[in-house]
Amino acid sequence: MSFYTLFVTSLCTLVLPLLLIAAAVKLWEMYVISGCDPTCRGALPPGTMGLPLLGETLQMVLQRRKFLRIKRQKYGYIYKTHLFGCPTVRIMGSENVKQILLSEHKLVAAQWPASVRIILGSHTLSNAHGAHHKSKKRAILKAFSREALEQYIPVIQEEVRGTVDGWLESDTCVLVYPEMKRLMFRIAMRILLGFEPDQTKADERELVQAFEEMTKNLFSLPIDVPFSGLYRGLRARDIIHSKIEQNIKKKLLKTCENNNYKDALQLLIENGEKNDERLSMQEIKESATELLFGGHETTASTATSMVMFLGLHAHVVRKVRQELQEKYVMGSQGEDKPLDMERLEQLKYTSCVIKETLRINPPVPGGFRVALKTFELNGYQIPQGWNVIYSICDTHDVLEALPNKGDFQPERFLDNKSPEDSARFGYIPFGGGARICVGKEFAKVLLKVFVVELVSRCDWRLLNGPPTMKTGPTVYPTDNLPTKFTCWPEP
């Protein structure tokens, strides 16, 4: 074979396919951005759109924080990409986030990726808009009033104490993250859905596994074919709906025998009847699934992060114990005192521990919106119909005038100028605006009770040291945080 023939063959075999791929990618980018408004003065944000159809979804799902860090370093606080089947602008920074969160129903509207909407369903609070969203939100907020939270404390304390007892009795290490998911799931089942302990325990293992599978596949390409992420997420969702429906039917038969408080699901059902909008079983199942997801996945993530941070900072544990003794929440020998809202509200330093955990490891990395019309943000054009993701974790990372951002320092929230005050939308672990997390006060009480029970009764050691953290979709340790717990004070 002559050199010329070899050269042409190599050209056709190697170079030509590469050129075709490059041309396809370029044509794809031109097609995606063809919807921009030529009358808008702002240029599109910098960034890349990735592969045809797939966009950059696979890189984001596989790399998560690494992907986001590289993008931020390369393109700054606003950049374009293509995720979950849609052209997307990702933003961060308090001023940019502020404009998005305060423009609900004017410039943007809440819209999660298609896969999330399909799996969770159309009847959830996250997918509701306008008057329907306000009505649902009001009903759920009643379940998180101060009076309601007071009623929940004994249930939370009972469940946390039982779990901590199990950790102390274990001869082997405890995998904290899966344990935490089971604990927070039981609490959410009892408090948010009003199920009895025996109902919760009977279905706990299967439901937790199904939730794990559903959660893992929430953010996936919206392609429902066998073995795809969406397919697996829907199959897991069906298992959850089946189990929940059995319990809901029992619950509806026992409505008049309910506890001395009304759970969030009961309030939603009553709100629908009051407004002549009786909820169907499908609507109840979807609402229950959303409440369970929001009520246990995020708190399990944050509680696990707290075990990690406190395990790495013994001086912080000592300060928490000192506060518990000073506020008479814990006796000098570790004996417990009754907890109530008034006592919990006195624990200022303990609150700072929770806030600092949420600053460094916010459980939810961001929120999703869709542009209702083309508008400008910081000089860039955001085209109508594009998705807008505001990043919570990146916004915390780039918060200005915050020394030693990477260090775990709860004391920073005791200062006159804490991260909460330095920028209204610079510290947003619960989101903000009209869509701020409805369960944030419930989460704070739950996490505070957990810290009190843990610190007043346990010492612990992280067997693998500081873990690698991943996001999928909430933050979690890749090694599940193996930990050895011992009694404190020693018998």
Side-chain angles (χ1 to χ4, degrees), residues 119-281:
I119 291 173
L120 291 184
S122 59
H123 302 106
T124 54
L125 181 66
S126 58
N127 286 327
H129 293 87
H132 185 46
H133 175 263
K134 288 181 180 179
S135 175
K136 268 195 165 187
K137 184 177 178 180
R138 274 197 304 269
I140 294 176
L141 281 173
K142 291 177 184 175
F144 301 130
S145 66
R146 195 178 192 281
E147 293 74 23
L149 294 173
E150 190 81 69
Q151 299 290 334
Y152 302 157
I153 291 173
V155 176
I156 296 171
Q157 197 167 12
E158 175 195 332
E159 290 289 351
V160 172
R161 184 163 296 182
T163 296
V164 170
D165 284 342
W167 294 352
L168 291 173
E169 292 166 5
S170 176
D171 294 327
T172 58
C173 76
V174 172
L175 296 178
V176 172
Y177 183 53
E179 280 284 306
M180 206 67 77
K181 283 198 287 188
R182 286 191 284 269
L183 167 63
M184 297 303 175
F185 181 82
R186 290 194 300 272
I187 292 172
M189 282 283 282
R190 292 183 63 181
I191 288 177
L192 300 182
L193 305 190
F195 293 150
E196 297 299 323
D198 59 333
Q199 292 175 285
T200 304
K201 289 176 183 176
D203 297 325
E204 176 190 333
R205 184 170 295 277
E206 187 176 3
L207 273 171
V208 169
Q209 289 175 348
F211 259 98
E212 191 166 333
E213 183 68 13
M214 185 190 82
T215 300
K216 189 166 61 177
N217 294 290
L218 263 181
F219 294 88
S220 54
L221 288 170
I223 303 171
D224 186 11
V225 296
F227 309 112
S228 69
L230 182 60
Y231 178 89
R232 294 195 299 271
L234 287 170
R235 301 294 82 75
R237 190 273 319 267
D238 290 343
I239 293 171
I240 294 166
H241 279 192
S242 175
K243 287 290 183 184
I244 284 180
E245 183 172 352
Q246 296 171 22
N247 280 326
I248 286 172
K249 286 177 178 177
K250 294 177 188 174
K251 173 185 172 62
L252 293 177
L253 290 173
K254 294 183 176 181
T255 300
C256 58
E257 305 169 17
N258 202 1
N259 295 319
N260 53 0
Y261 63 84
K262 289 185 178 180
D263 55 83
L265 184 61
Q266 183 62 36
L267 288 167
L268 269 178
I269 293 170
E270 289 183 1
N271 185 66
E273 292 174 346
K274 184 177 72 174
N275 295 327
D276 294 324
E277 299 172 351
R278 184 180 291 271
L279 299 182
S280 67
M281 179 55 72

Side-chain angles (χ1 to χ4, degrees), residues 357-464:
T357 300
L358 290 167
R359 182 188 70 82
I360 300 176
N361 278 356
V364 177
F368 288 79
R369 300 291 186 269
V370 63
L372 297 175
K373 60 182 180 182
T374 299
F375 65 94
E376 283 192 40
L377 180 65
N378 203 12
Y380 292 116
Q381 176 183 162
I382 313 298
Q384 180 180 359
W386 281 36
N387 280 351
V388 179
I389 299 177
Y390 72 89
S391 174
I392 294 174
C393 54
D394 284 321
T395 297
H396 287 186
D397 285 347
V398 302
L399 186 59
E400 296 177 1
L402 191 65
N404 306 314
K405 294 179 189 177
D407 295 342
F408 185 73
Q409 297 178 352
E411 296 80 8
R412 72 174 84 241
F413 283 90
L414 290 172
D415 296 339
N416 291 330
K417 287 192 175 181
S418 74
E420 290 177 297
D421 303 322
S422 59
R424 181 182 167 193
F425 290 91
Y427 177 78
I428 47 170
F430 297 103
R435 296 272 174 170
I436 194 168
C437 175
V438 293
K440 67 187 182 76
E441 296 305 322
F442 168 67
K444 290 175 185 177
V445 168
L446 194 163
L447 292 168
K448 198 173 282 190
V449 173
F450 173 73
V451 173
V452 170
E453 287 292 320
L454 182 72
V455 168
S456 63
R457 304 177 62 217
C458 298
D459 271 327
W460 63 98
R461 179 168 57 91
L462 309 183
L463 299 184
N464 289 351

